[in-house]
Amino acid sequence: MDSGLVRLSRRLAYVLRHDPASVGLALDAQGWVAVDDLLAALAAHGASVSYAELDAVVAGNDKRRFAVRAGAGGRAEIRASQGHSVPVDLGLEQMPPPPVLYHGTSATALPSIRARGLRRGERHHVHLSPDLPTALAVGRRRRGAVAVLEVDAAAMAAAGYAFYRSANGVWLTDHVPPEYLRGP
Ligand code: HQG
């Protein structure tokens, strides 16, 4: 994606996950908003975005961060597939996880993570990656050295912890206690 579309993708992620009110929007209970309303709200806040640009962001997004559907009355609606801090019910179904999941983070966070486990912070869930390369990419968003932890998802599932998978393949759970973490 070119840099203009990357910027647009970041702006959309911010609006649709964290602060729809920043452009005067409200999401429905499941996080959806009509595409028309979104584009009008962005235009009213100084960002004129065309349907073609929005399509390019939705289709060209490496992580498929956004989902589009035909809503009530045939209006197209959009939402972020995961990562919200505003309260939305994504309707995620619980699913048995693969035996091992990964979490990429900053090496400086390790002492705290070893002591308290992985915590969800502002987000609804702890985010886990299905493979090492994805976890490395997530960890590289942080400053300094990257650390990748392995999560013993099989043992967690056996102990009754719930796992969910977002529409774009991110594994989600409420908390990973330290005893299920392996790694550096
Ligand atoms: C860390 C991106 C200290 C955790 C990615 C992480 C992902 C702790 C940071 C998605 C801790 C939270 C989520 C503890 C966790 N002590 N630090 N006990 N427990 N942490 O951004 O997983 O581009 O909320 O390791 O690809 O980095 O937004 O979570 O470093 O899927 O679509 O606290 O965001 O996707 O950071 O990333 P985040 P994350 P998008």
Side-chain angles (χ1 to χ4, degrees):
M1 269 201 303
D2 78 27
S3 62
L5 292 183
V6 170
R7 268 201 306 280
L8 175 57
S9 173
R10 295 225 170 95
R11 177 103 196 249
L12 287 178
Y14 175 75
V15 167
L16 295 175
R17 290 168 170 176
H18 306 300
D19 199 359
S22 66
V23 293
L25 280 177
L27 310 180
D28 78 6
Q30 288 80 40
W32 297 100
V33 67
V35 169
D36 294 349
D37 292 346
L38 173 65
L39 296 186
L42 289 172
H45 289 79
S48 89
V49 176
S50 67
Y51 281 94
E53 286 165 329
L54 188 75
D55 278 350
V57 166
V58 171
N61 202 283
D62 53 338
K63 280 195 67 186
R64 291 174 288 123
R65 286 186 180 85
F66 309 104
V68 172
R69 70 169 188 188
R75 288 178 94 191
E77 297 178 334
I78 185 169
R79 76 174 179 187
S81 293
Q82 36 72 225
H84 299 77
S85 57
V86 293
V88 294
D89 177 4
L90 295 177
L92 296 172
E93 278 179 43
Q94 215 175 305
M95 248 195 242
V100 178
L101 288 165
Y102 302 86
H103 182 82
T105 188
S106 139
T108 56
L110 289 176
S112 164
I113 292 174
R114 281 214 197 81
R116 289 185 239 168
L118 288 172
R119 293 154 68 101
R120 63 198 171 95
E122 301 282 300
R123 305 205 191 227
H124 292 190
H125 296 101
V126 171
H127 287 225
L128 302 171
S129 304
D131 55 61
L132 198 55
T134 306
L136 278 169
V138 171
R140 281 198 204 100
R141 293 157 51 247
R142 308 274 154 214
R143 279 169 189 273
V146 176
V148 174
L149 294 160
E150 277 186 21
V151 174
D152 188 349
M156 285 183 69
Y161 287 87
F163 285 82
Y164 308 86
R165 208 176 76 114
S166 72
N168 61 339
V170 178
W171 283 90
L172 306 165
T173 194
D174 289 340
H175 174 230
V176 180
E179 60 268 32
Y180 297 107
L181 292 169
R182 293 185 294 239

